[in-house]
Amino acid sequence: MYDLGYFRNHLDAITARLADRPFSVDVDAFRKLDGERRAAVSEAEALKAQKNAESAEIGKLKRAGQDTADKQQRVRELDELIAKLDDRASALDTEFRDLMSGIPNLPHESVPVGKSAADNLEVRRWGAPTEFKFEPKPHWDLGPDLGILDFERAAKITGARFVVYMGLGAKLERALINFMLDVHTKEHGYTEVLPPFAINSASLYCTGNLPKFEADLFKLQGTDYYLAPTAEVPVTNLYRDEVLDLDSLPIKLCAYTPCFRSEAGSYGRDVRGIIRQHQFQKVELVKFSKPEESYAELDKLTADAQDILERLGLPYRTVVLCTGDMGVNPAKTYDIEVWLPGQNEYKEISSCSNFEGYQARRASIRAKSGKSKAEHVHTLNGSGLAVGRTWLAIVENYQQADGSVVVPEALRSYMGTDIIRGVK
RNA sequence: GGAGAGGUGGCUGAGUGGUCGAAAGCAGCGGUUUGCUAAACCGUCGUAGGCCUUUAAAGUCUACCGGGGGUUCGAAUCCCCCCCUCUCCGCCA
């Protein structure tokens, strides 16, 4: 959501930059609707002012003991007129809001122009793709062979795109969660949050998941609650409708949650293994920043996520998403892609974004210090990391010729073992 | 699930039909006083939208006292529904 005054006054520049996404702002429709809406509001408000004045008059006359029947009748008639104008004004206002909330965020000036993932800009590469003296297997073979992943039973108890982790597989997931939370809280300065996993529609609206992406969510029947698609939603909404102390910024939070996504529209993509599931675990990083510091904070947040991969010895690269590949809500996004030998490619394991004031305006998250007027903060978030994808990256990168998996040094104290062998 | 009490500005809290966008206090901001600090005193201090204006400010209007509907010429105040918080009872990991 844009600031209306800013949007009006920078219409040409905004329209030009959004064309890079590509998104075409219907400028004529905007101007027309904005004009009609303002005219309708003015008209209705003028009548309301008249009505309020007459009502006050009636009060005075009554206290003076005079008859006011005529005046009351006139206000009643005025009221009918106002009701009609109000209906029109609010209909136009709703239409206008829908138009505005459908306009994607303005890409930051540092975001490269491009059409697809092929145009993303690589900004960092760490390590080299793992080399093997044998043919590496994908995790969907390694996992079941080791008895640590069970797709068939997951399909039985729930359905497709769910998985059961068994034994050391379950423990590896838990170890990763604890490892990530420990590094972020003890060394990167984040405060741990454990939010509700079910969230209401207002929260989803503020982060931009609703109304546009309702189809991607699981809704709890008979309630206004949805299963969280990411901890970004509950954690960003922590300070919805609040005025924070500017001096307390940046606020740095991290949260472990399961994430639930219906994956509507992704049929046929990543169908094998645990790359794309209806439920996956994630440790999320969220920041509330001063506007002037938000890009420095984005770089730090991205570095915090990369640090996890480096400690685990997993090769990765980081790209800036180009205008054509980024989501509608962020102003800038870094994707961190981990090397997966089983697929022979780099695959997204974290997405770190600066939303600037786009979410904060929807959610009314502001900050002030003493003399300053409350201003909207900038919100940022990124995966730190997607646990399931980290799990499979370890299994694939640390696999041995005999099918066992070496546990990365950093996880051994959490795992209580340095190797995962088959239980059969 | 049952019974009761509540939800008012950044915070605390008064306000049961018109003079209420809302007392008072705290915090903040500007100032006076003052070796410094503290204190005291004076002033100021909500948000959004419309009009006016080149913009902003100022001015003015509209809306907002948990959310939605209703009664009334007029609602923070009365009525209905919902949400949330607290207390007690029941149930329960």
Side-chain angles (χ1 to χ4, degrees):
Chain A
M1 182 70 72
Y2 287 84
D3 176 75
L4 186 52
Y6 182 86
F7 189 82
R8 261 193 217 121
N9 294 328
H10 299 80
L11 197 51
D12 290 341
I14 291 172
T15 302
R17 181 56 166 159
L18 287 178
D20 291 337
R21 270 184 167 278
F23 181 89
S24 137
V25 179
D26 190 338
V27 177
D28 291 337
F30 170 80
R31 289 222 172 90
K32 182 163 178 282
L33 198 51
D34 192 28
E36 285 177 351
R37 170 186 144 270
R38 288 206 264 179
V41 167
S42 289
E43 207 181 341
E45 286 186 354
L47 280 184
K48 280 182 198 170
Q50 195 186 331
K51 173 187 164 178
N52 288 343
E54 301 227 20
S55 290
E57 190 75 12
I58 290 170
K60 278 181 200 157
L61 291 174
K62 281 211 161 180
R63 249 171 287 133
Q66 297 187 32
D67 178 62
T68 58
D70 286 356
K71 246 184 167 17
Q72 289 183 26
Q73 180 55 31
R74 214 168 57 237
V75 175
R76 265 192 291 267
E77 286 162 11
L78 209 51
D79 233 7
E80 287 174 31
L81 211 54
I82 289 171
K84 278 182 201 151
L85 289 168
D86 251 355
D87 283 349
R88 179 175 153 72
S90 71
L92 284 166
D93 201 58
T94 303
E95 200 182 332
F96 184 73
R97 275 172 199 284
D98 288 349
L99 177 78
M100 285 303 289
S101 65
I103 299 174
N105 204 353
L106 197 67
H108 186 251
E109 57 187 14
S110 65
V111 173
V113 176
K115 287 193 170 69
S116 69
D119 301 315
N120 293 341
L121 182 69
E122 184 175 304
V123 292
R124 182 177 172 84
R125 191 177 277 250
W126 187 88
T130 315
E131 296 194 14
F132 295 90
K133 296 196 179 79
F134 56 94
E135 186 63 31
K137 293 180 182 172
H139 70 279
W140 54 79
D141 289 334
L142 288 163
D145 287 351
L146 286 166
I148 58 176
L149 277 191
D150 191 332
F151 293 101
E152 286 161 21
R153 291 194 175 101
K156 175 173 67 182
I157 60 179
T158 307
R161 288 199 191 275
F162 285 90
V163 72
V164 175
Y165 295 82
M166 294 288 285
L168 285 176
K171 194 167 185 181
L172 177 57
E173 185 86 357
R174 180 159 57 92
L176 283 168
I177 293 163
N178 284 330
F179 168 68
M180 292 176 191
L181 287 172
D182 282 348
V183 171
H184 292 314
T185 56
K186 291 178 187 166
E187 301 189 38
H188 296 156
Y190 292 78
T191 299
E192 185 172 345
V193 179
L194 201 158
F197 302 158
I199 54 204
N200 61 32
S201 57
S203 295
L204 285 155
Y205 175 80
C206 290
T207 42
N209 302 76
L210 286 179
K212 231 177 164 174
F213 303 108
E214 168 131 39
D216 296 336
L217 302 167
F218 285 110
K219 184 164 193 187
L220 298 181
Q221 196 168 30
T223 72
D224 181 44
Y225 303 153
Y226 296 77
L227 293 177
T230 159
E232 166 194 347
V233 182
V235 177
T236 303
N237 275 279
L238 222 42
Y239 300 122
R240 165 150 53 94
D241 295 324
E242 293 192 29
V243 179
L244 304 168
D245 177 5
L246 195 65
D247 299 323
S248 71
L249 302 181
I251 294 173
K252 302 164 66 174
L253 305 174
C254 68
Y256 152 74
T257 68
C259 305
F260 299 89
R261 299 184 182 180
S262 78
E263 293 297 343
S266 68
Y267 300 108
R269 281 178 68 199
D270 306 317
V271 286
R272 302 207 67 184
I274 61 171
I275 292 177
R276 192 172 298 275
Q277 297 274 289
H278 286 313
Q279 176 189 330
F280 63 96
Q281 282 64 244
K282 186 152 62 74
V283 169
E284 184 78 357
L285 305 174
V286 175
K287 285 188 185 181
F288 301 87
S289 162
K290 294 179 189 173
E292 65 271 22
E293 293 171 353
S294 66
Y295 281 95
E297 292 297 336
L298 175 63
D299 288 349
K300 281 194 247 174
L301 185 147
T302 307
D304 291 337
Q306 289 170 164
D307 186 37
I308 298 290
L309 288 171
E310 292 178 22
R311 288 171 190 243
L312 293 173
L314 294 170
Y316 70 86
R317 61 175 199 150
T318 302
V319 299
V320 181
L321 297 190
C322 72
T323 52
D325 199 31
M326 64 195 298
V328 297
N329 296 315
K332 184 175 186 177
T333 299
Y334 291 106
D335 268 10
I336 304 172
E337 301 178 340
V338 70
W339 177 255
L340 298 184
Q343 352 286 306
N344 202 41
E345 66 173 357
Y346 284 101
K347 190 80 184 174
E348 178 189 338
I349 197 166
S350 173
S351 195
C352 303
S353 301
N354 183 0
F355 298 84
E356 298 192 5
Y358 195 79
Q359 289 179 328
R361 278 187 293 272
R362 280 188 173 214
S364 188
I365 305 169
R366 294 171 296 156
K368 64 173 293 193
S369 84
K371 68 184 102 176
S372 78
K373 193 175 145 95
E375 59 181 333
H376 290 106
V377 303
H378 281 191
T379 59
L380 301 85
N381 66 63
S383 342
L385 306 160
V387 179
R389 288 189 182 179
T390 309
W391 188 103
L392 81 91
I394 287 171
V395 168
E396 292 194 0
N397 280 283
Y398 282 90
Q399 62 181 295
Q400 307 295 304
D402 65 357
S404 65
V405 171
V406 170
V407 175
E409 191 85 43
L411 287 180
R412 288 182 189 166
S413 61
Y414 292 92
M415 287 292 286
T417 178
D418 57 4
I419 193 155
I420 301 172
R421 293 185 200 282
V423 290
K424 289 168 191 169

